[in-house]
Amino acid sequence: MWYSLTRRGSRGRKGSALRHRTRFSTIAVVGIIAIIGAACANNSSTTNGGSTSGAPDCNTPPGCVTVASGAPIEIGTLLATTGATKSLGLDSLYGVQLAVDYLDQTFDGTNGQVDGHDIKLVNETDGCSADGGQKGATTLAADPQIVGVIGTSCSSASLGVADTIFSNKGITIISPSATNPALTTAGTHKPYYFRTAHNDRIQAAVVADFAIQVLKAKTAVTIHDESPYTQGLTDGFKLNFEAQGGTVSSEEAVNSGDTDFKGLLTKIAQPPAPDVLYAPDFNPVCALIEKQAADVSGLANTTIMGSDGCSDSTFIPIAGTAANGNYLSGPDLTAFSGGDFYQNQFLPAYKKLAGSAPISVFHAHAFDAANIMFDAIKKVAVQGSDGSLTISRVALRDAVQGTSNYQGIIGTLTCTPLGDCATSVKIGVYKIPNVPFVDPTAKPVFSETKTLAEVK
């Protein structure tokens, strides 16, 4: 089977794996000292590549997390599980929960363990906003037992907010869906921030290629909702579209709370109307633009495109049939080529957990993010003779940073020094209504694989 996350864990289950792992050794500690002292006094631990000597440095900030014998390892989630974008966050949360379930190599509803310790998820919402990211990250960072975090859903909750709060505390965070380029750009990247989500430098380039090469578009207008995610995409689209000879005649902005776009759309429709209107906004803005544009006669020959911020279960009910024939870009789920694992194991488990097919498109990214975190913990945790674990925050960050050729559902992941783990990505363009959040087997009408090294 192509895809395997088999581990050696405390339960003694063992199977074939793409990586071979060994248990962390247990070493007796002499003397009556505190738990953390005992753990730090260990002079060896076992890692994915063999044994490394030396106790973790727990006295130098950001220090260590000590998990007492019998206590769970606490992993935070900071995802958009409330509000208008809750489908995006819940979809990722289901992916994290399935990763915990699969620690014992089965989707049987019985959670596995990491080195003899259960995983406890501590869930906060990021609200898909800077305020939500600030509140949720502050809450999680205040808990000294939080080992790492999966999140955020939205770039606005991370950029200069959660990424900074967690990095200042030395808490490693891996995002499944925050795609703004600045999150992993020199000068703005924070040292404890990583993501399995693609970098929108790639998505913007693919959308521009589709507009130029397939739609034969020469002119375009963009609309962003003033969020880092949407503006990153519209800026990237303009850069790539104009590099291929197109012209972006207008860059418009709306508020994420707006609901009436008729005036703006009528202005955009004034002759000559653009060939393409690229509005990669979150719902309901994205869906409402699609719906209301159908009533503007001047846009009859304009193709409307959105991206993965639109891609959740609320889009079709809001946009209705008015969106049919337009396009949405996002991860090419048909490239999740993990043998039959994704289709025949993961998706049935998702449906059993969530009660439906996937409601957005980053569930597999979240599954992979959680498993990268679990593997990193296994590499660096030091077991005490009393069954406790000590996890160095710096060592955990470095272990995630050291992820190389990790075979996940979404593909092969290798984390760069700037936090991008998905460095070669296949982005698909889907024709509405044949979209993956309606039918997980939907096929894109156009797809391209690009690497970070080749895009602008």
Side-chain angles (χ1 to χ4, degrees):
M1 184 172 75
W2 176 91
Y3 183 86
S4 175
L5 280 175
T6 308
R7 299 171 173 78
R8 287 186 189 181
S10 60
R11 294 186 173 190
R13 295 190 174 107
K14 179 181 177 182
S16 63
L18 295 175
R19 302 177 181 189
H20 297 286
R21 300 172 174 84
T22 58
R23 292 179 184 273
F24 298 113
S25 58
T26 303
I27 300 176
V29 178
V30 179
I32 302 174
I33 51 179
I35 291 175
I36 189 169
C40 288
N42 275 322
N43 61 11
S44 70
S45 63
T46 303
T47 66
N48 200 24
S51 178
T52 57
S53 299
D57 181 0
C58 297
N59 296 315
T60 301
C64 303
V65 179
T66 297
V67 182
S69 177
I73 297 169
E74 295 188 17
I75 300 295
T77 71
L78 184 55
L79 301 164
T81 53
T82 58
T85 55
K86 67 180 181 180
S87 291
L88 173 65
L90 287 171
D91 179 68
S92 290
L93 181 59
Y94 296 144
V96 176
Q97 291 171 334
L98 288 171
V100 177
D101 184 355
Y102 197 69
L103 278 168
D104 63 1
Q105 295 302 286
T106 63
F107 288 123
D108 60 1
T110 302
N111 293 341
Q113 294 183 321
V114 172
D115 290 332
H117 292 257
D118 292 337
I119 296 293
K120 176 184 177 182
L121 297 180
V122 181
N123 304 319
E124 295 288 335
T125 181
D126 73 15
C128 203
S129 67
D131 288 344
Q134 174 86 23
K135 181 178 179 181
T138 299
T139 298
L140 289 172
D143 183 348
Q145 290 303 117
I146 294 294
V147 174
V149 174
I150 306 301
T152 62
S153 290
C154 299
S155 299
S156 55
S158 270
L159 187 58
V161 188
D163 61 352
T164 302
I165 292 169
F166 289 125
S167 287
N168 286 345
K169 284 282 191 176
I171 298 174
T172 297
I173 176 172
I174 309 176
S175 171
S177 61
T179 54
N180 181 272
L183 287 162
T184 54
T185 297
T188 50
H189 172 253
K190 303 304 178 185
Y192 285 78
Y193 181 87
F194 302 88
R195 62 181 170 199
T196 53
H198 55 263
N199 186 317
D200 270 334
R201 287 169 52 210
I202 293 176
Q203 181 162 216
V206 173
V207 173
D209 284 355
F210 176 74
I212 291 283
Q213 298 170 19
V214 178
L215 299 180
K216 307 301 181 184
K218 298 184 182 303
T219 60
V221 168
T222 63
I223 303 176
H224 67 78
D225 63 12
E226 300 183 322
S227 69
Y229 160 75
T230 59
Q231 189 156 15
L233 274 171
T234 55
D235 287 351
F237 172 80
K238 179 182 180 180
L239 179 67
N240 286 276
F241 188 73
E242 294 191 336
Q244 297 184 65
T247 299
V248 174
S249 56
S250 178
E251 299 171 80
E252 304 293 340
V254 297
N255 188 285
S256 60
D258 293 345
T259 58
D260 185 354
F261 306 102
K262 287 285 186 68
L264 174 61
L265 293 168
T266 299
K267 183 185 84 169
I268 293 171
Q270 295 304 303
D275 297 325
V276 167
L277 173 58
Y278 183 43
D281 304 302
F282 288 108
N283 290 318
V285 172
C286 179
L288 288 171
I289 287 174
E290 296 264 1
K291 182 179 180 66
Q292 293 170 21
D295 296 327
V296 178
S297 60
L299 295 176
N301 295 318
T302 296
T303 300
I304 301 176
M305 296 186 65
S307 285
D308 40 34
C310 309
S311 299
D312 69 50
S313 59
T314 66
F315 177 84
I316 297 295
I318 296 172
T321 58
N324 288 358
N326 288 323
Y327 300 93
L328 296 178
S329 68
D332 183 350
L333 272 62
T334 65
F336 294 174
S337 54
D340 63 359
F341 180 83
Y342 179 67
Q343 291 292 336
N344 295 341
Q345 295 185 57
F346 182 90
L347 289 180
Y350 183 108
K351 186 172 183 179
K352 183 176 180 180
L353 174 65
S356 71
I359 54 179
S360 190
V361 293
F362 289 103
H363 43 274
H365 297 73
F367 183 86
D368 287 346
N371 279 297
I372 287 173
M373 183 76 75
F374 299 153
D375 277 4
I377 292 170
K378 290 168 102 36
K379 288 177 184 177
V380 304
V382 177
Q383 288 188 342
S385 59
D386 58 357
S388 65
L389 288 181
T390 295
I391 302 163
S392 162
R393 293 198 181 280
V394 169
L396 181 63
R397 188 268 317 273
D398 291 347
V400 172
Q401 168 68 71
T403 299
S404 180
N405 295 319
Y406 182 90
Q407 301 302 309
I409 292 180
I410 65 172
T412 301
L413 299 168
T414 296
C415 298
T416 71
L418 291 174
D420 276 311
C421 299
T423 54
S424 178
V425 177
K426 192 172 188 179
I427 295 293
V429 177
Y430 295 84
K431 191 171 185 177
I432 304 167
N434 298 313
V435 288
F437 53 92
V438 173
D439 176 6
T441 66
K443 292 179 171 56
V445 296
F446 176 83
S447 63
E448 280 188 312
T449 299
K450 288 183 179 289
T451 66
L452 281 174
E454 67 182 296
V455 296
K456 296 182 181 297

